[in-house]
Amino acid sequence: MSQLFKENCINLDESSQLCTADEVKLFLGDLDSWSIVFDGMEKLERVFRFNTFAEALKFTNQIANEAEQQGHHPKLTTEWGKVTVSWWTHFLGGLHKNDFIMAARTDSLY
């Protein structure tokens, strides 16, 4: 498991920068089953599988609690048997280290 889950998100401001291509490659290499999707900007995405809707919903709520604690929020799609999680930094329009930290924290909840 990535050690990124031990880190906390930082507050961002106008001087904050997106990850470089090398940083994205490095951080993504520490995460299992996450992929980069592009829909106008880069995002991290992973689908988590469950046996019931109740399990998927419980996981969704765990992610929501973690997101609130860290002040960084994902797109969550909860369906029967699966949760799709997307992380990106809205403020910057792409991927910041915070997104990789939260992906690792999401993995630790699973």
Side-chain angles (χ1 to χ4, degrees), residues 30-98:
D30 282 346
L31 299 171
D32 292 328
S33 303
W34 287 88
S35 58
I36 304 287
V37 296
F38 187 84
D39 67 354
M41 69 183 78
E42 287 185 322
K43 299 177 180 181
L44 283 173
E45 187 172 281
R46 181 175 174 188
V47 176
F48 295 86
R49 304 270 177 203
F50 299 91
N51 292 320
T52 67
F53 181 76
E55 291 174 355
L57 187 57
K58 179 180 177 186
F59 183 63
T60 298
N61 288 325
Q62 289 175 319
I63 296 168
N65 289 335
E66 188 69 23
E68 281 295 302
Q69 290 176 12
Q70 291 294 317
H72 193 60
H73 304 89
K75 175 182 174 185
L76 299 168
T77 304
T78 305
E79 305 174 72
W80 191 96
K82 71 178 182 178
V83 176
T84 304
V85 182
S86 300
W87 290 104
W88 74 99
T89 300
H90 307 79
F91 176 72
L92 297 175
L95 294 173
H96 182 272
K97 187 176 181 182
N98 285 352

